[in-house]
Amino acid sequence: MLRRYFPILEWGAAYNREILTADMLAAVIVTIMLIPQSLAYALLAGLPPVVGLYASILPLVAYAIFGTSRTLAVGPVAVVSLMTASAAGAVAAQGTAEYLEAAITLAALSGVMLAVLGFLRLGFLANLLSHPVIAGFITASGILIATSQLRHLLGISGGGENWPEMLGNLFANLPDTNWPTVVVGGFATAFLFWVRKGFAPLLEKFGMTKKGAGMAAKAGPVIAVVLTILAVLAFDLGTRGVALVGAVPQGLPPFAVPSTDMGLIAQLFVPALLISIIGFVESVSVAQTLAAKRRQRITPDQELVGLGASNIASALSGGYPVTGGFARSVVNFDAGAQTPAAGAYTAGGIALASLFLTPLLFNLPIATLAATIIVAVLSLVDLKTPGQLWRYSKGDFAAHMATIIATLLAGVEMGVIAGVLLGLLLYLWRASRPHAAVVGRVPETEHFRNVERHKVLTLPHLLSIRIDESLTYLNARWLEEYVLERVAERPELRHVILMCSAVNAIDATGLESLEAINHRLADGGIGLHLSEVKGPVMDRLNGTHFLEELNGRVFLSQDQAWSELAADDGEIAPTDHMLARGLI
Amino acid sequence: MLRRYFPILEWGAAYNREILTADMLAAVIVTIMLIPQSLAYALLAGLPPVVGLYASILPLVAYAIFGTSRTLAVGPVAVVSLMTASAAGAVAAQGTAEYLEAAITLAALSGVMLAVLGFLRLGFLANLLSHPVIAGFITASGILIATSQLRHLLGISGGGENWPEMLGNLFANLPDTNWPTVVVGGFATAFLFWVRKGFAPLLEKFGMTKKGAGMAAKAGPVIAVVLTILAVLAFDLGTRGVALVGAVPQGLPPFAVPSTDMGLIAQLFVPALLISIIGFVESVSVAQTLAAKRRQRITPDQELVGLGASNIASALSGGYPVTGGFARSVVNFDAGAQTPAAGAYTAGGIALASLFLTPLLFNLPIATLAATIIVAVLSLVDLKTPGQLWRYSKGDFAAHMATIIATLLAGVEMGVIAGVLLGLLLYLWRASRPHAAVVGRVPETEHFRNVERHKVLTLPHLLSIRIDESLTYLNARWLEEYVLERVAERPELRHVILMCSAVNAIDATGLESLEAINHRLADGGIGLHLSEVKGPVMDRLNGTHFLEELNGRVFLSQDQAWSELAADDGEIAPTDHMLARGLI
């Protein structure tokens, strides 16, 4: 029990010097990668850069205690930062104390929600986000994020909640472009793109191993930071209109108290829920992928608790919503992290940075951070998925495109909600018209197949319907209509057999529909029979009036039902002929 | 096409004198029943009694043109009247012109919504109301309605949106009880209960046929109306504090225009949607039940159009939301109505009543109408269902009780919403963890059965999993967890076979999960195979990368998969070995 809620007790017991070394090494690499990322994502969230550092310290320690993934690296991530900007921007202006308070409160709310969902084992709610919806949301978020950062590369003001607003502001302010900023931002962007593609091969040429070169390339953003700071100092770019990070408070994270203003909490409730679910889905996918590579397991419901603890820790230390990030977790994994302790050591590294390195960041151009973000998020934009979905499933394609369009035009919150609702609507629509088939006997066998696909025997007084779905309230009305329509077409009908081999469950509404069908058929002098009812379904039916009132029988097999009822046709007909031929 | 939208063209073509006679007779009986009911339900909706008459004229004519049921009788009904009172009461005080305007606008909105749902063929949305939710809602509404009318039996003021409020007001005003009203109300209630049970047998004793006596008993409310009016006149009860209907405007319905105030429409949008869906569900159940008795069919999507037209007609003639009522439709059916023309003739009867009878209603005690309502709605309260549901399905029981409790404590709108959401949540929870089983071969057969239920053969290097559900985004994550957990338990594993005999569809998220499972198994040197994939599912898979990347094969039958893979337990790494054998 205790181990379920504190996974640290499990891996902590086996901790040794060897694991320590591996974890420490991974922590150093992740720390170097995380410093510029934390600053950049805070900028994306509309917060002071130091808040990004705060969000990368205590949350990592909390996750090390409560998380079940051995290699997940939590902290600020791009999509959640954008969602934070959107939610906090709705209640206060960027740069105000209220804005920061809203971000902190979002982290607290999201933390509590995640933990509650975890304790109640409601992780399945994340299933509401289908793959096409998530993919669409991530693509659209990538586009929104990249667009939102363009202004920093141009040194102009801007902003906006959605794509048309952002582009409008961008074009309106284009005349104010600051050319020194364009040069710095252009250089940083080009350098970071080059580092992605060309840096590792170059290092390999100089004799580094492939893996070592790949690791070193992750330091690209740090190199860009150093180079552009040097450029600012060398050419005195600060006086030429290049926006700089400026004074960053030195020291450990402060103790922060989230707001208890119920009005604010009510306003932030839905955004916090969306941030929680998006963050959870992103995090759990990464964690599962990495765990499977080492044949480890994660526990999704406990992951909720782990992420909840991380976000509460973030809120209490002046940070904003965090989750498990893809890029940094892969780096952590590749660098050989063995346990979540690597995360705690990374936290130590970031704490040292916020104690000692922040004065060095004074001359860091904002454009460098924007370039870091743009290069990182453009890989989120996935142009192949729409075509694949179109070919595979039109419904999934519709949900994907609706999510992209709604996110671009109406912002991140409406985008997620639209995608989830459309996905659910399509699912319910399909669930309300499941597959069923009129079946007949395959000659000289005990098999029954769809009359529309196979050459099978049927009898005018006997109708066999195979239902390929559980009977639930969503399809109960459909079942009544389907059966009664088939019956209305056949004036000679005497018996209906429902073949229930694929019926895994019948809920109360489904039972009600069976009763209604039974009564209506009985009114018309037709018997209703069931065949191949599964054990657990039969156990339930045994306790009900339905079986008592059933104007027919329950047969173990469809073959037996057919054989016995085929004879009951009142008059001589094909049946006898077929009986004589041994067909039935 | 034209016949689809105008069912009148179909039955109208075959209309003759015989049908006319039957329809006229039914219309007379329904008219007599409908007059006191219309007045009473208008009272329940908080509207002037005459509005109930208006809502029983043009809507019936509209339904006769557009409706597909031959015997459904539309007009004001109890539950929808209560919902109207709740919705209109939220925007204006009873008795004001704004309140009446809100009720008319509700009818217009509801009519447009129903018609739009019908044209878009979205009738399946009514499936979201499961039987337990509807039953709970109807029971709770019956209790609320009866409680709301008690004050009229006591001659006191009161009101309230929910049960605690109603009871609180009732007890607070109890000292104001008007005893003459109690006598009149008590007499009317007792008389109406007696009519239900004892009147028909009495008439039979006097030589009437059973059917005739049953019909005559439906005139009970009219007799109660006449008797209490006479009592008011005889004992001058109006001066003794007995509340009377008073002056009712004489004449045909006025032409009314629904409000176009967008603020009002926005406020009434959700209530109108709920009224539409509840009304549609009630109406379509009645219509289907009656149609089946005569082996007729109704078309639910066209029913939406018919009810939509009725509500628009109601709004344009100063009425409020209407729908098909259970009791009056049964009377119409039993009285021998053959076509919807009976409804049009009923409309004529009500029109005559509103032209000539309204002055006679001046001295009608409100308490008589209240007694009519109470006796009618107490039959809605269903005390058997909770026990049945508890025994059959705990989830359905929970949805039922939640709906009852939410309706009683928070009113009709919250009740429906809570029931639908809880039902959906339970459904999604179940859908997210479908049934699957590890299967083994039944010795000396080609059959495969659940290892936990049957004595079957298994092999340590071969894992067969039967999935009993379509793979959708709701259960995709579950599938990954289920398979990977089973795999993690078995270190000797070389092959996994997914037996897909019950998989009717795989959506894009399900496919993504299969791909993820394939990659993760491949990372661990395990092959993934599919067996018994259905034709339509295979057709879709054929167009995807999944089959190309599959680290295994697709087998026609589980038996074949088992036979071929059982042999492959050698030491050579599976992939190479299988390549060598031409298996992949």
Side-chain angles (χ1 to χ4, degrees):
Chain A
M1 178 64 188
L2 209 59
R3 282 195 173 194
R4 165 163 148 62
Y5 287 113
F6 296 93
I8 191 175
L9 297 175
E10 201 165 316
W11 58 261
Y15 211 75
N16 59 32
R17 176 180 287 259
E18 200 180 329
I19 300 177
L20 174 72
T21 315
D23 282 349
M24 287 293 271
L25 179 70
V28 170
I29 294 170
V30 174
T31 303
I32 291 171
M33 178 185 178
L34 208 48
I35 292 173
Q37 259 196 16
S38 300
L39 301 171
Y41 290 150
L43 176 75
L44 172 57
L47 294 163
V50 74
V51 174
L53 294 177
Y54 295 164
S56 305
I57 302 176
L58 279 193
L60 283 69
V61 177
Y63 185 82
I65 298 170
F66 295 100
T68 61
S69 164
R70 299 285 167 99
T71 45
L72 190 74
V74 300
V77 305
V79 171
V80 167
S81 297
L82 178 69
M83 295 178 83
T84 301
S86 167
V91 299
Q94 281 193 16
T96 61
E98 288 74 28
Y99 188 90
L100 178 60
E101 190 184 29
I104 291 172
T105 307
L106 268 177
L109 270 176
S110 167
V112 171
M113 285 172 180
L114 286 162
V116 167
L117 289 174
F119 286 124
L120 298 178
R121 307 198 169 205
L122 288 175
F124 79 93
L125 281 180
N127 294 352
L128 286 177
L129 289 168
S130 67
H131 171 73
V133 168
I134 298 171
F137 180 70
I138 299 280
T139 287
S141 297
I143 296 172
L144 281 183
I145 293 170
T147 310
S148 76
Q149 297 307 306
L150 281 179
R151 62 186 162 110
H152 294 304
L153 290 191
L154 299 169
I156 59 181
S157 59
E161 276 290 283
N162 54 49
W163 215 32
E165 278 177 27
M166 286 178 185
L167 289 177
N169 288 333
L170 210 57
F171 283 111
N173 296 324
L174 212 50
D176 306 337
T177 301
N178 177 271
W179 292 104
T181 303
V182 173
V183 172
V184 172
F187 163 75
T189 311
F191 176 77
L192 288 168
F193 272 118
W194 173 75
V195 161
R196 291 213 146 199
K197 298 262 162 100
F199 193 41
L202 191 74
L203 291 174
E204 282 182 59
K205 267 191 199 159
F206 282 93
M208 274 183 90
T209 61
K210 193 177 173 73
K211 194 174 169 186
M215 284 294 151
K218 303 295 177 192
V222 171
I223 300 172
V225 164
V226 172
L227 291 178
T228 51
I229 289 177
L230 292 177
V232 168
L233 293 174
F235 304 107
D236 197 16
L237 295 177
T239 61
R240 293 167 194 238
V242 174
L244 303 177
V245 165
V248 177
Q250 206 171 349
L252 289 175
F255 177 69
V257 183
S259 171
T260 52
D261 169 5
M262 288 315 289
L264 181 65
I265 289 175
Q267 271 185 294
L268 295 177
F269 193 87
V270 171
L273 190 62
L274 294 175
I275 287 174
S276 303
I277 292 180
I278 290 281
F280 173 63
V281 169
E282 185 174 348
S283 184
V284 92
S285 324
V286 178
Q288 272 179 331
T289 306
L290 297 180
K293 290 201 178 186
R294 290 194 189 153
R295 285 233 196 178
Q296 295 167 344
R297 302 286 310 140
I298 63 157
T299 315
D301 282 331
Q302 177 62 20
E303 277 301 285
L304 283 166
V305 176
L307 290 177
S310 291
N311 276 291
I312 294 169
S314 186
L316 294 179
S317 56
Y320 72 104
V322 296
T323 193
F326 179 70
R328 77 188 57 157
S329 299
V330 171
V331 169
N332 195 35
F333 181 92
D334 287 343
Q338 296 294 319
T339 73
Y345 307 149
T346 305
I350 307 272
L352 288 176
S354 65
L355 272 176
F356 302 113
L357 292 186
T358 48
L360 303 180
L361 298 173
F362 186 94
N363 287 309
L364 173 60
I366 299 279
T368 306
L369 294 178
T372 311
I373 296 174
I374 290 176
V375 174
V377 298
L378 279 185
S379 64
L380 299 180
V381 179
D382 171 3
L383 300 175
K384 273 189 295 183
T385 295
Q388 288 172 353
L389 287 174
W390 173 259
R391 283 189 298 278
Y392 187 71
S393 154
K394 302 291 177 284
D396 280 319
F397 173 80
H400 181 70
M401 293 312 291
T403 309
I404 292 183
I405 292 167
T407 306
L408 287 180
L409 297 187
V412 280
E413 283 159 25
M414 281 309 298
V416 181
I417 292 172
V420 168
L421 288 184
L422 184 65
L424 201 54
L425 202 69
L426 284 168
Y427 178 87
L428 295 174
W429 186 77
R430 285 184 199 148
S432 74
R433 43 185 68 199
H435 192 250
V438 174
V439 295
R441 182 203 278 271
V442 181
E444 322 220 4
T445 71
E446 294 182 5
H447 296 298
F448 289 78
R449 293 280 183 278
N450 191 339
V451 295
E452 286 170 20
R453 293 188 175 226
H454 300 85
K455 281 205 169 178
V456 290
L457 297 175
T458 56
L459 294 170
H461 75 286
L462 190 58
L463 174 66
S464 300
I465 295 175
R466 190 190 68 217
I467 302 162
D468 289 343
E469 202 79 44
S470 290
L471 301 180
T472 68
Y473 73 103
L474 293 176
N475 60 31
R477 195 163 288 119
W478 162 87
L479 178 72
E480 285 180 52
E481 281 167 32
Y482 183 87
V483 174
L484 296 177
E485 250 166 48
R486 297 298 160 292
V487 169
E489 294 162 0
R490 291 171 175 74
E492 293 175 62
L493 200 63
R494 303 270 304 274
H495 298 285
V496 173
I497 309 170
L498 297 183
M499 187 177 165
C500 301
S501 44
V503 175
N504 292 306
I506 300 178
D507 75 3
T509 313
L511 184 66
E512 188 84 3
S513 274
L514 284 180
E515 285 172 354
I517 292 169
N518 180 44
H519 287 303
R520 289 173 193 179
L521 292 182
D523 286 350
I526 299 172
L528 177 68
H529 312 267
L530 307 181
S531 75
E532 311 207 352
V533 181
K534 294 194 171 189
V537 175
M538 200 62 211
D539 290 347
R540 280 218 175 169
L541 290 181
N542 274 327
T544 65
H545 289 295
F546 171 65
L547 283 193
E548 290 165 27
E549 289 170 13
L550 184 65
N551 183 31
R553 294 170 57 193
V554 179
F555 293 92
L556 273 183
S557 75
Q558 171 66 16
D559 180 57
Q560 190 193 349
W562 169 283
S563 303
E564 298 202 15
L565 297 173
D568 179 34
D569 62 347
E571 51 185 86
I572 306 159
T575 330
D576 287 351
H577 178 61
M578 279 153 36
L579 269 170
R581 288 181 59 198
L583 281 182
I584 49 176
Chain B
M1 178 63 187
L2 210 59
R3 283 194 172 193
R4 165 162 149 63
Y5 287 113
F6 295 93
I8 191 174
L9 297 175
E10 199 164 320
W11 58 262
Y15 211 75
N16 59 31
R17 177 180 289 260
E18 199 181 329
I19 299 176
L20 175 72
T21 316
D23 283 349
M24 288 294 271
L25 179 70
V28 170
I29 294 170
V30 174
T31 303
I32 292 170
M33 178 186 177
L34 208 49
I35 292 172
Q37 258 196 16
S38 299
L39 301 170
Y41 289 149
L43 177 75
L44 172 58
L47 294 163
V50 74
V51 174
L53 294 177
Y54 295 163
S56 305
I57 303 175
L58 281 195
L60 283 69
V61 177
Y63 185 83
I65 298 169
F66 295 100
T68 62
S69 165
R70 299 286 169 96
T71 45
L72 190 74
V74 300
V77 306
V79 172
V80 168
S81 299
L82 177 69
M83 294 179 83
T84 301
S86 167
V91 300
Q94 280 193 18
T96 61
E98 288 74 27
Y99 187 92
L100 178 60
E101 189 185 30
I104 291 173
T105 308
L106 267 178
L109 269 178
S110 168
V112 171
M113 284 174 182
L114 286 162
V116 168
L117 289 175
F119 286 123
L120 298 179
R121 309 200 168 200
L122 288 175
F124 79 94
L125 281 180
N127 294 350
L128 286 177
L129 289 168
S130 68
H131 171 72
V133 167
I134 298 170
F137 180 70
I138 299 281
T139 288
S141 297
I143 296 172
L144 280 183
I145 293 169
T147 310
S148 76
Q149 298 306 305
L150 281 180
R151 63 188 163 111
H152 294 303
L153 289 191
L154 299 169
I156 59 181
S157 59
E161 277 289 285
N162 54 51
W163 216 32
E165 279 178 27
M166 286 178 183
L167 289 177
N169 288 334
L170 211 57
F171 283 110
N173 297 325
L174 212 51
D176 307 337
T177 300
N178 177 270
W179 291 104
T181 304
V182 173
V183 172
V184 171
F187 163 77
T189 311
F191 175 78
L192 288 169
F193 271 118
W194 173 77
V195 161
R196 291 213 145 199
K197 298 265 162 101
F199 193 41
L202 190 74
L203 291 174
E204 282 181 59
K205 268 191 199 159
F206 282 94
M208 272 183 88
T209 62
K210 192 176 173 72
K211 194 175 168 185
M215 283 293 151
K218 301 295 177 195
V222 171
I223 302 171
V225 163
V226 172
L227 290 179
T228 52
I229 288 176
L230 293 177
V232 168
L233 293 173
F235 304 106
D236 197 15
L237 294 178
T239 62
R240 294 171 192 239
V242 174
L244 303 176
V245 166
V248 176
Q250 207 170 349
L252 290 174
F255 176 70
V257 182
S259 171
T260 52
D261 170 2
M262 288 313 292
L264 181 65
I265 290 175
Q267 270 184 295
L268 295 177
F269 192 87
V270 172
L273 188 63
L274 294 175
I275 287 175
S276 303
I277 292 179
I278 290 282
F280 172 63
V281 169
E282 184 174 349
S283 184
V284 93
S285 323
V286 179
Q288 271 179 332
T289 306
L290 297 179
K293 289 200 178 189
R294 290 194 188 150
R295 285 233 195 180
Q296 295 165 345
R297 303 282 313 139
I298 62 157
T299 315
D301 282 331
Q302 178 60 20
E303 276 302 282
L304 282 167
V305 177
L307 290 177
S310 292
N311 276 292
I312 292 169
S314 187
L316 295 178
S317 57
Y320 72 104
V322 296
T323 193
F326 180 70
R328 78 189 56 159
S329 299
V330 172
V331 169
N332 194 37
F333 181 93
D334 287 344
Q338 295 295 318
T339 73
Y345 307 150
T346 306
I350 306 273
L352 288 176
S354 65
L355 272 175
F356 303 113
L357 292 186
T358 49
L360 303 179
L361 298 174
F362 187 95
N363 287 310
L364 173 60
I366 298 281
T368 307
L369 294 178
T372 311
I373 296 174
I374 289 175
V375 174
V377 299
L378 279 184
S379 64
L380 299 180
V381 179
D382 172 3
L383 299 176
K384 274 189 294 180
T385 295
Q388 287 172 352
L389 287 174
W390 173 258
R391 283 189 298 277
Y392 186 70
S393 154
K394 303 291 176 285
D396 279 319
F397 173 80
H400 181 70
M401 293 312 290
T403 309
I404 292 182
I405 293 167
T407 306
L408 288 180
L409 297 187
V412 280
E413 282 158 27
M414 279 310 297
V416 181
I417 292 172
V420 168
L421 288 185
L422 185 63
L424 201 55
L425 202 68
L426 284 168
Y427 178 86
L428 294 175
W429 186 76
R430 284 183 199 148
S432 74
R433 44 186 68 201
H435 192 252
V438 174
V439 296
R441 183 203 278 270
V442 182
E444 321 218 2
T445 72
E446 295 182 7
H447 295 298
F448 288 79
R449 293 280 183 277
N450 191 339
V451 294
E452 285 168 21
R453 293 190 175 223
H454 300 85
K455 281 206 170 178
V456 290
L457 296 176
T458 55
L459 293 172
H461 75 287
L462 191 57
L463 173 67
S464 300
I465 296 175
R466 190 189 68 218
I467 302 161
D468 290 343
E469 202 80 43
S470 291
L471 301 181
T472 68
Y473 74 102
L474 293 175
N475 59 30
R477 196 163 287 120
W478 162 88
L479 178 72
E480 286 180 51
E481 281 168 32
Y482 184 86
V483 173
L484 296 177
E485 250 167 49
R486 298 296 161 291
V487 170
E489 293 163 0
R490 289 171 175 77
E492 293 174 62
L493 199 63
R494 305 275 301 275
H495 298 286
V496 173
I497 309 169
L498 297 183
M499 188 177 162
C500 301
S501 45
V503 175
N504 292 307
I506 300 179
D507 75 3
T509 313
L511 183 67
E512 189 84 4
S513 275
L514 285 179
E515 284 173 353
I517 292 170
N518 179 45
H519 287 305
R520 288 175 194 178
L521 291 182
D523 285 349
I526 299 171
L528 177 68
H529 311 267
L530 307 182
S531 76
E532 311 208 349
V533 181
K534 294 193 169 190
V537 175
M538 200 62 210
D539 291 347
R540 281 219 175 167
L541 289 183
N542 273 329
T544 66
H545 289 296
F546 171 64
L547 284 193
E548 291 165 27
E549 290 169 12
L550 185 65
N551 183 29
R553 293 173 56 195
V554 179
F555 294 92
L556 274 182
S557 76
Q558 171 66 19
D559 180 56
Q560 190 193 348
W562 169 283
S563 304
E564 297 202 17
L565 297 173
D568 179 37
D569 59 350
E571 292 299 313
I572 308 158
T575 326
D576 289 350
H577 179 64
M578 278 153 47
L579 268 170
R581 287 183 61 199
L583 283 180
I584 48 177

